[in-house]
Amino acid sequence: ILIISFTILQSTSQYEEKQAELEQQQEVIKEQQEQLDKLIGIRKELIEALKEEFDGTDMSINVDEKTGSIALDSSILFDSGQAVLKQSGESLLKKFIPKYIGVLTNKQFKEYVSEIIIEGHTDSEGDYLYNLELSQKRALSVSSYCLNAKNAVLSESKIKGVRDMITANGKSFSNPVLDRNASRRVEFLFRLKDEDMINQMSDVLSE
């Protein structure tokens, strides 16, 4: 009888331990889902804010509904094969950048944005490595122009606040779009804090 009682108690204890572990795991999943929902909500709100900011302007800015990325036509920014900004490119950036950075650094979103990415893209004409270098130089040209206080694109305080967040990348023609002309672009993207973790969580929770 004592042996049977001990076995029952042991089984009950093990069951309670497993139950406690399960409840703890469920709580973690619940917290992760809440965090995911919150950040997905922030992304949606940020994208809507960007769309509202550029609606009605003469810049013809299109904000990607899913990612919030914005592509600027390279033909406005640069001459063919060149990485030095044209006057039309400088004029566009002086209108575009204050609005774009203004939304991302708004008090509603600032704490959630970890990185602002400027990507240069080319079409598939020519050598990949040549285009990789050209796209990199163009991305750097845009970021350097915007972060140079002498160009008066952003205030010095605003530059100080965002310069560590800005990354410039060249993509050559690794990410083309259907319209070949539209492939030649400089794209602006943002990343939210813990975005890699968010993507992983989203994949796990959707399985």
Side-chain angles (χ1 to χ4, degrees):
I1 295 172
L2 288 173
I3 294 173
I4 293 172
S5 299
F6 177 76
T7 303
I8 292 172
L9 287 171
Q10 189 177 36
S11 298
T12 302
S13 177
Q14 289 175 343
Y15 171 78
E16 289 174 349
E17 286 178 6
K18 291 293 183 182
Q19 188 68 24
E21 287 179 12
L22 180 60
E23 289 174 359
Q24 187 176 14
Q25 289 173 355
Q26 289 175 336
E27 187 62 30
V28 169
I29 291 173
K30 181 181 176 183
E31 289 175 2
Q32 289 178 336
Q33 183 66 62
E34 289 174 354
Q35 184 183 5
L36 179 62
D37 290 343
K38 180 180 180 180
L39 289 167
I40 288 174
I42 291 294
R43 175 177 286 283
K44 287 181 179 178
E45 290 174 13
L46 209 167
I47 291 171
E48 284 302 314
L50 285 170
K51 288 167 65 178
E52 288 178 12
E53 184 68 23
F54 291 105
D55 279 351
T57 67
D58 61 353
M59 286 181 277
S60 299
I61 298 297
N62 293 314
V63 182
D64 186 279
E65 295 278 352
K66 292 183 179 180
T67 66
S69 66
I70 296 175
L72 302 183
D73 187 346
S74 282
S75 66
I76 298 174
L77 300 173
F78 305 100
D79 285 323
S80 179
Q82 301 299 310
V84 178
L85 281 165
K86 300 195 297 186
Q87 186 173 352
S88 59
E90 292 180 357
S91 297
L92 175 58
L93 290 173
K94 280 189 174 181
K95 291 190 292 184
F96 169 76
I97 290 296
K99 289 181 175 292
Y100 182 73
I101 296 297
V103 172
L104 267 60
T105 57
N106 182 289
K107 62 181 180 180
Q108 182 181 357
F109 305 117
K110 186 175 181 179
E111 66 177 294
Y112 299 103
V113 178
S114 64
E115 188 177 16
I116 299 167
I117 306 162
I118 301 174
E119 287 185 350
H121 296 262
T122 67
D123 61 24
S124 57
E125 184 177 340
D127 179 71
Y128 179 85
L129 290 177
Y130 169 83
N131 281 307
L132 182 63
E133 183 178 5
L134 177 62
S135 60
Q136 178 71 42
K137 285 181 177 179
R138 286 181 169 179
L140 286 170
S141 182
V142 169
S143 59
S144 296
Y145 179 77
C146 297
L147 293 175
N148 189 333
K150 293 180 180 179
N151 296 323
V153 178
L154 296 169
S155 66
E156 290 193 29
S157 61
K158 189 69 76 174
I159 290 171
K160 186 177 180 180
V162 300
R163 65 187 176 194
D164 292 337
M165 298 168 62
I166 293 180
T167 302
N169 298 324
K171 293 292 187 178
S172 189
F173 47 76
S174 62
N175 189 18
V177 293
L178 291 177
D179 185 337
R180 183 177 172 183
N181 291 329
S183 287
R184 297 190 291 268
R185 67 198 188 277
V186 172
E187 199 164 341
F188 288 78
L189 309 96
F190 62 85
R191 286 175 62 84
L192 299 180
K193 292 177 180 177
D194 299 324
E195 187 148 332
D196 290 336
M197 182 188 71
I198 296 165
N199 292 334
Q200 291 173 6
M201 285 165 52
S202 182
D203 290 341
V204 169
L205 293 170
S206 64
E207 289 178 357

